[in-house]
Amino acid sequence: MSSDNKTLNQSIIKAFTVLDAFTNDKKEWGVRELANKTGYNKSTTYRLLNTLASLNIVHQNSNEKYSLGSKLFELGNRVAIYKTIAKSTNNPIKNVALEIQETVLLSILKEHQVFHINKADSLHGLKINTSIGSYQPIHATASGKLLLAFSDKTDEILKNIELTKVTQHTITNAKAFKKELTKTVNQDYALDIEEFELGLVSIAIPIRNRQQNIIASISASGPLSRFRTENIPNYISILKKGATLIEEEFKDFDSL
């Protein structure tokens, strides 16, 4: 796709053009020489570098030249960690998807939202839109409610999110939602019955580390037409098979 496409953000393109100039052979740049390299004027280059420096993406050295900062190292490590997690959990969640015959997701709490780090599709032909690396609202999903209910920052997060209406079944009343979180803790699982998507039901259970702290959730999602309340113990039993294997793999993790 051409970089002059009107749908693209030119400031982001310029920022990455600047970052691409940093190589093993040229690890630091002054503003003037980087402007000459990229073709941007000096003031534009300075503004880009100043913004990137404020985010720790680049660092200004004592000689007033710039080099790559710690944020890129942090993000690179984060990608590597998620790749490791995905590789280690592929078989457990695929086996759960085969047995439970629904789509299975492995999720964590991130930035007051649910972040999905692995997925195994249902063989029944129902393909839910959720993808690996995507976010969903914490209050309208089974995984979100479960992770929020057991979080040590529940009250803080509740103050910083809006219980927005996603479907007519989404819980938007604060008192009712807190009651739902208490219920989730007591039963050790969470349900989302058409709260995020009409016709879709999800059930989530926790994944704990060695200290019994919840570090993730594993959930199954399928159509309302196949969901039966009396089958909840069976759904949980199947999900626990995958959760047990994942917990063994990540028992020493404080978080994912």
Side-chain angles (χ1 to χ4, degrees):
M1 185 179 288
S2 172
S3 62
D4 61 358
N5 190 304
K6 292 181 180 180
T7 65
L8 301 183
N9 187 301
Q10 297 301 312
S11 295
I12 294 176
I13 291 172
K14 287 178 180 179
F16 273 89
T17 300
V18 166
L19 292 174
D20 276 340
F22 293 88
T23 66
N24 287 333
D25 296 326
K26 182 67 173 173
K27 294 183 178 180
E28 62 177 21
W29 291 87
V31 176
R32 186 184 299 276
E33 60 177 343
L34 187 55
N36 291 334
K37 169 69 175 178
T38 60
Y40 303 142
N41 62 49
K42 186 178 177 182
S43 61
T44 296
T45 304
Y46 175 75
R47 285 198 304 273
L48 287 167
L49 287 170
N50 193 44
T51 301
L52 292 169
S54 72
L55 299 170
N56 292 323
I57 295 173
V58 299
H59 171 73
Q60 187 174 26
N61 305 321
S62 57
N63 60 3
E64 296 190 353
K65 291 189 175 184
Y66 292 83
S67 58
L68 294 179
S70 60
K71 177 58 70 172
L72 290 175
F73 178 76
E74 176 189 334
L75 291 174
N77 279 341
R78 198 178 296 170
V79 170
I81 289 171
Y82 289 145
K83 283 184 177 179
T84 299
I85 291 170
K87 184 177 179 181
S88 300
T89 58
N90 275 338
N91 286 336
I93 69 169
K94 283 181 180 178
N95 289 337
V96 171
L98 282 171
E99 186 172 355
I100 208 166
Q101 298 185 346
E102 305 293 359
T103 295
V104 176
L105 287 163
L106 180 67
S107 313
I108 61 173
L109 186 61
K110 184 177 172 67
E111 298 174 4
H112 298 177
Q113 297 179 83
V114 178
F115 182 65
H116 301 297
I117 55 178
N118 209 352
K119 176 185 178 183
D121 283 315
S122 166
L123 297 179
H124 267 278
L126 178 71
K127 305 295 182 184
I128 65 173
N129 293 327
T130 308
S131 58
I132 297 172
S134 66
Y135 290 87
Q136 287 182 336
I138 196 171
H139 70 290
T141 55
S143 293
K145 288 191 287 184
L146 181 97
L147 294 167
L148 179 58
F150 285 97
S151 173
D152 57 1
K153 297 181 179 179
T154 302
D155 291 336
E156 176 188 334
I157 293 172
L158 284 173
K159 290 177 183 177
N160 288 281
I161 64 170
E162 291 185 21
L163 303 179
T164 53
K165 184 177 181 179
V166 183
T167 75
Q168 61 262 45
H169 302 288
T170 309
I171 301 173
T172 57
N173 176 273
K175 186 175 180 180
F177 187 67
K178 287 181 180 179
K179 186 176 180 180
E180 178 77 359
L181 295 181
T182 300
K183 179 181 177 183
T184 296
V185 171
N186 290 337
Q187 65 192 15
D188 211 35
Y189 71 85
L191 283 176
D192 148 25
I193 301 178
E194 297 189 285
E195 293 170 49
F196 180 70
E197 183 178 332
L198 292 177
L200 190 71
V201 177
S202 297
I203 181 169
I205 69 166
I207 291 175
R208 293 177 166 91
N209 61 12
R210 191 192 296 273
Q211 286 74 39
Q212 294 302 299
N213 296 321
I214 291 177
I215 58 174
S217 72
I218 183 171
S219 63
S221 302
L224 180 63
S225 60
R226 284 204 295 266
F227 177 76
R228 298 290 181 272
T229 303
E230 60 269 23
N231 287 338
I232 287 177
N234 186 47
Y235 297 146
I236 292 173
S237 176
I238 297 171
L239 285 168
K240 279 185 175 179
K241 293 178 185 179
T244 299
L245 293 174
I246 294 169
E247 285 175 343
E248 181 62 28
E249 192 74 32
F250 298 112
K251 60 187 177 183
D252 294 321
F253 278 53
D254 291 328
S255 63
L256 294 183

